[in-house]
């Protein structure tokens, strides 16, 4: 009898193990079929539901239709805002380095020209320095306020710096001169105008959506 009980217990144990293994497989398979929730799916589903309701119920009360249309507009705005933020983040990341290096270069030019202007006694030469300083200041604003969601157009690509071993004081001056005289992209004029109008105008350009 004792032997039989042991055999039965072994059978039960093996059966339980097989049951657990099968359950584990079923559970794993179930997890594999699961799909992660789609981003913005809640807003998209609600938009479809509202549009379907508006389409199918042409005789709904006017106040109900107005409320649904308002909600529809709000849900669409939510999607638009999220899409804008995603694109803005991606574009900021993509052009971070070029904007950073160009901003630093513009800042150096501004500082150099300010020091030069302070030391200049000749009126005609001072006027020329002020002209160059204005260009450098607009350049700096350009690197900061170029629209975030647009493809950044570099300022100094045509005036690339020479290798370090060739760099001398004269070459630095030549590079600065080339940078100041390089052709500017169309957005530069837009930034120049906004710079004269003030910070709010610059921020409006930086944050524009199209």
């Amino acid at each position: 009898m004792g032997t039989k009980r042991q055999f039965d217990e072994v059978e039960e144990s093996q059966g339980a193990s097989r049951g657990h293994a099968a359950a584990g497989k079923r559970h794993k398979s179930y997890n594999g079929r699961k799909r992660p929730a789609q981003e913005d799916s809640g807003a998209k589903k609600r938009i479809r539901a509202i549009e379907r309701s508006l389409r199918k119920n042409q005789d709904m009360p006017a106040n109900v239709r107005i409320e649904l249309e308002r909600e529809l507009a709000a849900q669409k705005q939510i999607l638009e805002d999220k899409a804008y933020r995603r694109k803005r983040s991606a574009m900021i990341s993509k052009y971070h380095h070029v904007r950073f290096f160009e901003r630093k270069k513009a800042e150096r030019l501004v500082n150099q020209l300010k020091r030069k202007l302070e030391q200049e006694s000749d009126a005609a030469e001072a006027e020329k320095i002020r002209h160059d300083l204005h260009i450098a200041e607009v350049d700096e604003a350009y690197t900061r306020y170029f629209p975030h969601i647009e493809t950044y157009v570099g300022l100094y690509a045509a005036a690339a710096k020479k290798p370090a071993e060739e760099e001398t004081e004269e070459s630095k001056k030549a590079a600065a001169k080339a940078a100041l005289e390089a052709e500017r992209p169309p957005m530069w004029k837009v930034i120049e105008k906004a710079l004269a109008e003030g910070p709010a105008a610059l921020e409006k350009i930086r944050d524009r959506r199209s």
Side-chain angles (χ1 to χ4, degrees):
M1 292 294 289
T3 302
K4 188 175 187 305
R5 279 197 300 273
Q6 289 174 0
F7 180 78
D8 289 343
E9 288 169 1
V10 169
E11 283 290 291
E12 288 172 3
S13 175
Q14 290 176 343
S17 297
R18 285 193 295 270
H20 286 311
K25 288 180 181 178
R26 286 195 298 272
H27 182 66
K28 185 176 182 181
S29 176
Y30 173 75
N31 285 339
R33 289 196 300 271
K34 290 177 71 176
R35 295 288 185 272
Q38 293 294 315
E39 190 176 0
D40 305 332
S41 61
K44 288 178 180 177
K45 286 179 181 177
R46 184 58 184 156
I47 286 170
R48 287 196 295 270
I50 294 172
E51 288 177 337
R52 187 164 52 248
S53 180
L54 291 171
R55 189 169 56 250
K56 289 184 176 181
N57 300 288
Q58 297 294 327
D59 58 345
M60 70 171 60
N63 63 317
V64 175
R65 177 172 290 276
I66 289 170
E67 287 300 318
L68 285 176
E69 287 173 346
R70 285 176 179 169
E71 185 185 352
L72 179 61
Q75 293 290 350
K76 286 183 175 180
Q77 187 63 51
I78 288 171
L79 286 183
E80 184 181 322
D81 290 344
K82 287 183 177 180
Y84 166 74
R85 287 195 295 270
R86 282 195 297 269
K87 183 176 180 181
R88 181 179 184 274
S89 178
M91 295 296 273
I92 288 173
S93 178
K94 182 176 181 179
Y95 295 107
H96 169 74
H97 290 296
V98 65
R99 291 177 78 134
F100 174 79
F101 287 122
E102 290 204 341
R103 184 173 75 249
K104 289 299 181 183
K105 185 167 187 174
E107 287 173 352
R108 285 196 300 271
L109 283 171
V110 168
N111 292 331
Q112 289 168 9
L113 290 165
K114 282 182 176 179
R115 287 194 298 270
K116 191 175 179 181
L117 184 60
E118 289 172 357
Q119 298 166 3
E120 186 57 59
S121 57
D122 183 77
E125 188 62 26
E127 185 60 32
K128 184 179 183 305
I129 294 170
R130 275 191 286 270
H131 174 266
D132 289 345
L133 177 58
H134 171 74
I135 292 173
E137 287 173 337
V138 177
D139 284 355
E140 184 181 351
Y142 179 97
T143 65
R144 293 179 183 277
Y145 295 102
F146 188 97
H148 278 315
I149 65 165
E150 297 180 23
T151 300
Y152 184 77
V153 181
L155 291 169
Y156 306 129
K161 188 174 71 172
K162 292 182 180 180
E165 62 270 21
E166 298 180 19
E167 194 171 67
T168 63
E169 194 61 35
E170 286 302 315
S171 70
K172 287 180 182 179
K173 290 179 181 178
K177 185 174 185 295
L180 289 168
E181 293 177 354
E183 184 179 354
R184 296 301 190 262
M187 181 57 66
W188 193 91
K189 281 289 184 184
V190 178
I191 297 292
E192 181 183 33
K193 182 175 182 293
L195 183 61
E197 294 173 359
L202 289 167
E203 290 168 5
K204 185 177 180 181
I205 292 171
R206 182 195 62 196
D207 298 331
R208 73 184 190 182
R209 299 194 174 200
S210 61

